[in-house]
Structure formats: structure tokens, C-alpha cells
Amino acid sequence: MARFIYADNAATTPVSKTVLEAMEPFYTQYYGNPSSLYSVGRAAKKPLEQARETVAECLGALPNEIFFTSGGSESDNWALKGVAHELAKKGKKHIITSKFEHHAILHSCEALEKEGFEVTYLDVHSDGLVRVEELEAAIREDTAIVSIMYANNEIGTIQPIAEIGAVCKKHGVIFHTDAVQAVGNVHIHVKEQNIDLLSLSGHKFHAPKGVGALYIRNGIKMPNLIDGGAQERGRRASTENVAGIVGLSVALKEACANIDERAERLIKMRDRLIDELLKIERSHINGDRVKRLPGNINMCFEGIEGESLLLSLDLKGICASSGSACTSGSLDPSHVLLAIGLPHEIAHGSLRITFSEQNTEEDVDYILEVLPNIITYLRSMSPLWEEIKSGEKQYSQKIF
Amino acid sequence: MAYSEKVMDHFANPRNVGEIPDASGVGEVGNPKCGDIMRMYIKVDGDVITDVKFKTFGCGAAIATSSMATELIKGKKIEDALKLTNKAVMEALDGLPPVKVHCSVLAEQAIKAAVSDYYKKMGIDPSPLVGEIPECESCACDLH
């Protein structure tokens, strides 16, 4: 194997060295239960609260509005189901979300629909963005909560969050955003953007897996997630994952300290890769080119199936991801790519490359050295390619 | 999901890729909407499949099962090739993950489709010899 390039940072990231070092003492030295009164307990309690302050500061929130969880999916479930159940008591049983949310939101919506809630799934246009005016038009008297992701996990498109927040505030509707992909990559200020609840997950920004947080604006009522203790102000019992929480706060502080400088570097890499890959015939970029995360590249190559593309890249030492059915474990390709209007045949041939600050221009060079050849090879093996190339191929729906 | 070494070998170095311009029979199965299409070419001499080539659009398992299936029928009598089951293809590859079993079914069907085409060209009704080849049966996906 010539090289190893990890380019799937939207899936997860390696824990950074400083994060690991910051966590270590909480396994071996300050292992006490933060609820205990004696020294090793107190020694764990203080850093826990400092971590809460750090996270709050990075988001423009107050420390008592940060609740640590096990990760993004838990935060999403708690936010959506919690607010829905609370407001159902007042007869508000309508939810607005989008068609390309993470499954933690979409499946929570399905669960709530079974309980009798009504859900409006907003279209995301071919640019991968929801339209604020369509959202506003969907708000009803009985709308309990709007949940729109900050940045999409597959195509990286960044939604007009502040505008959505303003519209929700105007209509007195609670606004939740799944910011799992966005936190650490873009500037977030929950107060200025009128965000009421925000989910985040540590392992997307070099903290360990299994730790996340939910920001809940003061004044928002919702049922406790876990009963059984005073942790997280009684709303989510369970002895705190102190090391993980400290790791999350250190990682977030690191990420937020140089957002602009990192974005500038990653955008350069991203745009060069996209420009070069678009030179491959019958290739397409998925989602808006500008309103997207700095490290996200998502392309479709007609006549290619995603899994064989990923396996071929893996043989060359490149880790990436795809929205093909074969990689999603189901028979349908990615719901995100279908939501932006791609036909099944093309959605099967998607490739997602996601960079973090650990990637370099040399990685881009190597991907460009390897990827076009793989595409040529797989197309030469495809019984569909000649027809696609000549333009005779008819897709199940119009493309682009 | 983990592929066996044999699957990875047949994916990375597929055998018999290509086309046979003067093929005796060509069969194509699968559906691009589901993400798998196999096209198989056979050259028949007497009752023996003397050459076989394939072109596949699909996942790693689709390519590996195509490759293995061609290996298993090359040089075989037609009647023996028709006896090749998807199970035999899977076993020859040291197994497939459960969600990939349909790829081996496609490989079996691709052979049958190619033989059917050969019989049709010879003016022989293939259905009593080959049986029905269901449309995308294994796939079970609803085509929206």
C-alpha cells in the first residue's frame, strides 16, 4: 500500500493528541464520582463544570443550558421527542423537519407519527438547501417544533439557520438544529441565531466517541431523559462520562479557536478537488458549491456503483464513503441524494470525501492520481457505460 | 460488513472481464435502479461453453460473483453450466454477507439468460431447458 489517507471525517475523526492527554488523568488519577464529596470526587466535579462552561462559550450559550449526552443521536431523540411530548399537552402536535435530516431525526419523527403527531417534511431543493419561505408557510397554530439540520452529513450543505431561527421566533415555535456536522467547522452563536435546542457529537471534532451534548435554552420545558439521579440538573441521570466530557470540551475549544484559518485551507483543498473531479466526463457535484462545509466533497459519477468505488479506493489506501444502497445496508440509495432529486441509478454512484485539519494538499494530489483511473476502470467494466457516454441512456427522472 | 479474501481477490482481479464480439449468446440481468447489472457473453462449440466474458455494474460482491461464475462454467457443458446454483458460487467465494446473497442469484441468472439467448438463436425454445428467469426477482426492491 503506497499511502493511507483518512478522508471520511464526517463519519468520525481520530482523537487528537491534546484531547487524549487531557482525558487520561480522569481515568487514572481523578477517577472519583463527581457526585462524591471527598477529594477525588471533587477533583472530577470541577473540570466537569469547566467543560460545561467551555462548551457554552463556544456556542454562545450559558453553562446551565448545556446537557452532556452520549452523542448526537441521543441529543436529537431527546430534543425532538422531549419538546413534542411536552407541547402535546397544550394540543400542539405538529412537527416540521426536512426530507434529508439524519435518521436520528427522521426515525424519531416516524415514532412520533405513530403516537399521533403530524410531521411536515420540507423539500430540499437540488442545491441541498431548504427554503425559509416554504418553512414559514408550513408553520401552523399547532406546530410544536421545527428541526432543521445545521449542515447535512452527506452533502455538507449549510442551511440558513439564522433566518430559520428568526422565522421560528416570530411565530413562537421552538427551533432545534442537529449541528453534529457543523459544530467546530462554522461559527455558531445560539442566541444570535435564535436556536432553542442544538445537538452536537464529540467524535466529529476529534473528541472520543460516546459523548455529545444538547443545548437547551433556559425556559424550555421537556421531560427528563433519564430519571435516577441529580446529574445534568436531574434531567439526564447517569454518572457522568467525565473523561469524555473533558475531552469533548478540549476538542471543541481547539476546533473553535481557528475556524476561519482552517476553513480557508480546507476550502482551497475542497475546491481544487471538486474542480479537477468535475473534469471527469459525466460527473456531478451534489449540493451547493459555496454553502457547504469546508471539508465536504460529494460527487456522483455516472455508470459507477459506489461500493465498488470505495473498495477500489480502499485497495489504494483511501478511506471515503458513499450513499449507494450497497453501503447503506439497504436496497435504496441515500435518502439525502434522492431528496435533492437524483435518480436512483446516479445516486448509487456517489462518493463522499470529507477532510479535517489533518488532511493536506498532498492528500488531494494522491486522490487525483488514483481516483480518475479507478473510475475509468470501473466504467470499462460496466455494461451501462457506452450507453451513458453516448447520451442514449434514459434515467428514471431528469437529471440536473 | 466483511468480504472474504476470495471475494476481495475476485473483486480486485476479476477473471474474464470483457465482451465476446461474436458471442453465441448474451444475457443481461438486474436493474440499474437497484444498483446491479450483469451482462454475460458465452461462446459455445457443440455443447461446450468454450469461452465466457462478463461486464458488471454493481458492488464488490456483484463483480466477484460474476467473476467466479464465469470461472465455474468456462469449458463446461451447457447442461452442467445450467446446474450451477447461486449457492455453489457463494461457496466457491468462501461465503457472502447476507445482504449480498442476491448478487450470487444474479450471477446464476446471468448464465441462464446467456444460455437462453443462445438457444433462441439456435431456434430452440429455451424455457423447458432453462426455466423462467424472473425479472429482478432476487432483488425484492420496489421500483418506486
Side-chain angles (χ1 to χ4, degrees), chain A residues 273-291:
Chain A
L273 188 53
I274 292 173
D275 285 339
E276 289 301 316
L277 292 178
L278 280 174
K279 290 180 185 164
I280 296 172
E281 61 179 323
R282 303 223 170 239
S283 62
H284 311 273
I285 172 89
N286 297 318
D288 194 275
R289 271 204 69 162
V290 178
K291 291 172 186 161

Side-chain angles (χ1 to χ4, degrees), chain B residues 1-142:
Chain B
M1 178 187 56
Y3 284 134
S4 70
E5 275 180 35
K6 271 214 177 128
V7 172
M8 282 311 292
D9 175 39
H10 276 262
F11 168 75
N13 310 292
R15 282 62 148 177
N16 307 310
V17 176
E19 298 173 20
I20 301 177
D22 57 341
S24 316
V26 183
E28 186 171 299
V29 293
N31 186 315
K33 268 187 104 172
C34 311
D36 295 300
I37 283 216
M38 283 182 201
R39 187 187 291 163
M40 210 165 275
Y41 303 79
I42 54 170
K43 183 88 186 157
V44 178
D45 187 6
D47 60 350
V48 174
I49 297 173
T50 53
D51 197 12
V52 51
K53 298 263 187 221
F54 79 91
K55 276 198 159 185
T56 290
F57 161 78
C59 61
I63 290 169
T65 52
S66 307
S67 166
M68 181 53 89
T70 57
E71 283 285 274
L72 290 172
I73 63 162
K74 202 172 180 179
K76 295 275 163 62
K77 285 186 171 178
I78 289 179
E79 56 178 312
D80 292 330
L82 287 174
K83 284 183 201 149
L84 183 74
T85 62
N86 76 299
K87 215 167 153 248
V89 175
M90 278 203 292
E91 278 166 10
L93 286 168
D94 292 340
L96 283 175
V99 294
K100 300 294 185 182
V101 172
H102 75 276
C103 294
S104 65
V105 177
L106 275 184
E108 177 194 320
Q109 289 177 347
I111 294 167
K112 291 191 166 131
V115 172
S116 282
D117 184 54
Y118 164 70
Y119 280 142
K120 278 182 202 158
K121 281 182 180 158
M122 300 291 289
I124 303 166
D125 176 14
S127 29
L129 299 159
V130 181
E132 291 297 313
I133 300 161
E135 180 86 8
C136 208
E137 171 243 29
S138 58
C139 184
C141 59
D142 67 298

